[in-house]
Amino acid sequence: MQLHINNAFTESLPADKISDNYVRQVKGACFSFVNPTPCTEPVLLHIAPDVAENVGIDPVDVESKQFLDVFSGNEIYPNSKPYAMCYGGHQFGHWAGQLGDGRAINLFETVHNGKPWTLQLKGAGMTPYSRHADGLAVLRSSVREYLCSEAMYHLGVPTTRALCLVSTGDQVLRDVMYNGNAQNEKGAIVCRVAPSFIRFGNFQILAANGDIDILQQLVDYTIANFFPHLGVPNKESYIQLISEVADRTINLIVEWERVGFVHGVMNTDNMSILGLTIDYGPYGWIEDYNPDWTPNTTDARDKRYRFGNQANIAIWNLYQLANAIYPIINEAEPLENILGRLRDQYETAHYKMMLKKLGLEDDGQFSPNNLSDFEHLLSKSEMDMTLFFRNLAQYNGKNNFEILETLSEYSYANNFDQYLGLWSNWLSDYGQIIINQNLQNRTETMNATNPKYVLRNYMAQIAIDAADKGDYSVIDELYQLLMQPYAEQNHMSKWASKRPEWALNKVGCSMLSCSS
Ligand code: AMP
Ligand code: MG
């Protein structure tokens, strides 16, 4: 492999002075150098060829021993010096102090076709930030991260990506439901790829520790490398940075809503400064359009990270980011102005996105009030979100009977009949608008906005169950399928169907713990 190694992050920012690998509080630094822990018997289970190409890895090199050794953590690539980042975060609304890359190790940065990429192993052993845990990851959660981050990319949602999935040959002890039944599981490593893995928490920890000089260095670094259009780093560009991160974050949430994704752990350490989906843990996909649904068992009581609350939390998290960067701005008003506009900005973006899902033009015929009534109906009648929107493109304003029949099939409610009248009225009103608007490309727009295939919770679980038995074919089948989520792929239609009965209460399909 011939990669253009670039150590911009570690060369620009202060390193932890201690180089031994033991758990500690790190002060006055943005990262600690640390090598991956070698694993026993790495096997390459899957690779994303387009990600390899993006970062400058030749297709033939993917087959090499060096590829497997480097991306299983068994070999350090020449001229690179792996490191773990220092960050803090608010977890479930409370400041948790230092967190950091407890089981992520950044191998190196590359520049390919003028674009910077950081390649990071998740699950390659302990770092100074591992706290009480082991730095490892199990196959189950690694399959979920690998498939979902690639699925999100192909859906067009901003996300970190995944280069490859490797099983380590080592056993990892996990108590999946936190009920005292710990069991050994297969260990695995995902190589994640992003222009940068900097999170809100990287800034927060520096502010919390009073390391204001370093905070400024990190902000300057972020602007120079990832927001160069903001110009020279100064107070004005710091304010603009917050504004742009806010825009990207709001856009991200609306994109999640478009495809029905629930992150599940929107702690500030899991919020990317680039507005990417990051850290795929107990995430889930909305099936019956329930805004109160959270996939995360740890969040079951408060439902802080429920589908319908993601925008509120994103805004709350942006307040924490602004607070962290405030010490180098020292002026509240411009920040308050940015943060104060976010709720309206979100509402508008959400409304526009939903109009697009409905294949409607923004001419006032379908008002925000109509939208909230409609969302309420979707939710009350427990409508499968993905099937509903995809199929709505078939409606032409006249074939009401046919559409109503399919809608009743897409509902999870056992009393759907009681909503038939409401749906019938809704279809007539909506049908009138589409007839009035008479848009040429309505079906195409809808089919490019409403995916046919998403990684339903039970689908990932089928791939995991097979992988646990040594059959990796379902991982590949889903990977191939989800590379074209908007294409019909009729031979794959079985994956475009409602959640099966057996998946309703199965662990991994309806609720997930953070244990990974
Ligand atoms: P999360 O909310 O799952 O992204 O993780 C919160 C923090 O816990 C981060 O600092 C992670 O690096 C750390 N963490 C999670 N799992 C492990 C693990 N198995 N070993 C070490 N650190 C971990
Ligand atoms: Mg995290």
Side-chain angles (χ1 to χ4, degrees):
M1 273 189 302
Q2 279 296 333
L3 294 166
H4 290 278
I5 298 295
N6 169 33
N7 298 316
F9 186 84
T10 51
E11 281 171 12
S12 310
L13 295 162
D16 178 7
K17 295 197 172 49
I18 303 172
S19 54
D20 292 344
N21 188 5
Y22 63 91
V23 172
R24 59 182 175 270
Q25 291 292 307
V26 173
K27 296 276 152 60
C30 289
F31 64 93
S32 307
F33 286 114
V34 60
N35 285 342
T37 303
C39 59
T40 314
E41 205 183 328
V43 177
L44 182 61
L45 303 186
H46 208 275
I47 172 188
D50 57 330
V51 180
E53 194 185 318
N54 276 353
V55 301
I57 298 174
D58 210 88
V60 292
D61 290 334
V62 168
E63 327 249 308
S64 67
K65 180 169 183 307
Q66 189 188 28
F67 182 92
L68 181 61
D69 286 346
V70 168
F71 296 112
S72 61
N74 283 356
E75 180 189 323
I76 308 294
Y77 190 78
N79 301 322
S80 68
K81 219 172 159 195
Y83 61 97
M85 282 186 182
C86 181
Y87 53 80
H90 280 88
Q91 296 185 313
F92 299 94
H94 304 283
W95 176 243
Q98 178 183 300
L99 297 166
D101 285 331
R103 57 161 166 186
I105 296 181
N106 301 280
L107 293 180
F108 47 75
E109 291 166 59
T110 64
V111 178
H112 187 61
N113 293 333
K115 291 197 182 133
W117 299 104
T118 299
L119 283 78
Q120 173 184 92
L121 300 186
K122 181 165 175 180
M126 289 189 62
T127 77
Y129 308 97
S130 295
R131 299 183 297 156
H132 313 293
D134 55 12
L136 303 174
V138 292
L139 182 60
R140 155 174 65 80
S141 63
S142 306
V143 168
R144 283 172 50 84
E145 170 136 21
Y146 181 78
L147 283 177
C148 198
S149 58
E150 285 306 287
M152 289 286 262
Y153 171 77
H154 293 290
L155 283 164
V157 181
T159 179
T160 62
R161 300 202 61 187
L163 169 67
C164 59
L165 171 68
V166 168
S167 64
T168 59
D170 296 316
Q171 298 285 303
V172 176
L173 195 64
R174 287 289 181 272
D175 184 356
V176 180
M177 292 320 287
Y178 301 128
N179 60 3
N181 289 323
Q183 284 188 350
N184 270 324
E185 297 186 45
K186 289 181 185 172
I189 295 173
V190 173
C191 176
R192 310 197 289 190
V193 177
S196 169
F197 288 92
I198 297 175
R199 302 138 190 273
F200 291 8
N202 293 66
F203 303 91
Q204 286 185 286
I205 192 71
L206 297 170
N209 289 343
D211 285 328
I212 307 306
D213 285 354
I214 306 178
L215 173 69
Q216 180 159 6
Q217 288 178 51
L218 181 64
V219 173
D220 290 357
Y221 169 85
T222 304
I223 292 176
N225 287 275
F226 307 108
F227 297 82
H229 52 281
L230 298 184
V232 284
N234 57 26
K235 189 160 135 178
E236 194 42 44
S237 56
Y238 301 158
I239 295 167
Q240 282 311 311
L241 176 69
I242 307 267
S243 174
E244 196 164 316
V245 174
D247 291 347
R248 290 191 194 193
T249 305
I250 296 298
N251 171 61
L252 179 67
I253 302 303
V254 173
E255 283 293 272
W256 287 354
E257 290 173 344
R258 176 174 66 83
V259 298
F261 177 79
V262 191
H263 184 284
V265 211
M266 289 178 66
N267 293 333
T268 56
D269 54 301
N270 291 337
M271 298 294 294
S272 148
I273 199 71
L274 302 182
L276 308 172
T277 314
I278 191 171
D279 277 12
Y280 291 83
Y283 66 79
W285 293 81
I286 280 291
E287 278 158 339
D288 58 359
Y289 208 78
N290 176 2
D292 290 333
W293 185 65
T294 173
N296 183 355
T297 50
T298 312
D299 192 29
R301 203 194 60 195
D302 296 341
K303 301 192 188 307
R304 179 179 171 86
Y305 298 139
R306 63 189 183 273
F307 182 55
N309 204 36
Q310 297 190 116
N312 289 333
I313 294 296
I315 294 171
W316 191 90
N317 288 344
L318 285 160
Y319 270 89
Q320 311 314 315
L321 176 70
N323 268 333
I325 297 183
Y326 175 78
I328 62 166
I329 297 174
N330 276 314
E331 204 188 324
E333 204 187 323
L335 298 181
E336 281 162 4
N337 290 340
I338 294 167
L339 297 166
R341 70 163 199 244
L342 294 180
R343 186 71 219 177
D344 283 351
Q345 187 177 329
Y346 159 73
E347 296 287 354
T348 306
H350 173 80
Y351 173 65
K352 289 198 163 148
M353 177 276 290
M354 291 300 280
L355 284 184
K356 229 171 145 192
K357 283 184 81 66
L358 289 164
L360 296 178
E361 210 169 38
D362 189 3
D363 63 359
Q365 289 194 69
F366 191 85
S367 70
N369 278 343
N370 295 144
L371 175 60
S372 69
D373 290 348
F374 162 64
E375 290 187 292
H376 199 53
L377 183 56
L378 275 180
S379 145
K380 270 195 310 199
S381 59
E382 297 174 52
M383 192 58 74
D384 186 282
M385 176 183 170
T386 307
L387 288 171
F388 173 86
F389 281 103
R390 183 72 183 191
N391 200 64
L392 197 63
Q394 310 290 323
Y395 182 50
N396 56 20
K398 297 185 191 105
N399 52 345
N400 297 39
F401 184 70
E402 187 191 320
I403 297 291
L404 274 178
E405 217 168 43
T406 31
L407 291 194
S408 67
E409 282 166 31
Y410 294 162
S411 162
Y412 294 95
N414 43 29
N415 58 350
F416 183 77
D417 282 358
Q418 86 183 56
Y419 300 105
L420 263 177
L422 288 171
W423 273 115
S424 177
N425 292 345
W426 185 84
L427 273 183
S428 307
D429 293 347
Y430 170 71
Q432 196 52 56
I433 305 176
I434 58 178
I435 290 169
N436 292 347
Q437 291 190 342
N438 193 24
L439 296 182
Q440 289 304 303
N441 306 322
R442 177 173 160 270
T443 311
E444 289 74 17
T445 311
M446 288 180 81
N447 285 346
T449 308
N450 301 319
K452 177 166 178 184
Y453 302 100
V454 295
L455 185 61
R456 290 168 181 271
N457 313 310
Y458 78 88
M459 290 163 61
Q461 193 57 40
I462 292 176
I464 291 164
D465 289 342
D468 264 333
K469 297 191 190 96
D471 171 6
Y472 305 109
S473 64
V474 191
I475 297 178
D476 187 58
E477 181 175 339
L478 294 182
Y479 173 85
Q480 303 294 344
L481 173 79
L482 297 167
M483 276 179 81
Q484 296 183 70
Y486 301 99
E488 284 299 328
Q489 305 188 66
N490 284 331
H491 61 295
M492 296 291 237
S493 283
K494 69 168 182 186
W495 296 118
S497 49
K498 260 167 81 178
R499 173 190 67 216
E501 205 56 45
W502 60 260
L504 182 57
N505 293 310
K506 185 173 155 68
V507 174
C509 296
S510 55
M511 288 295 269
L512 291 123
S513 75
C514 290
S515 164
S516 54

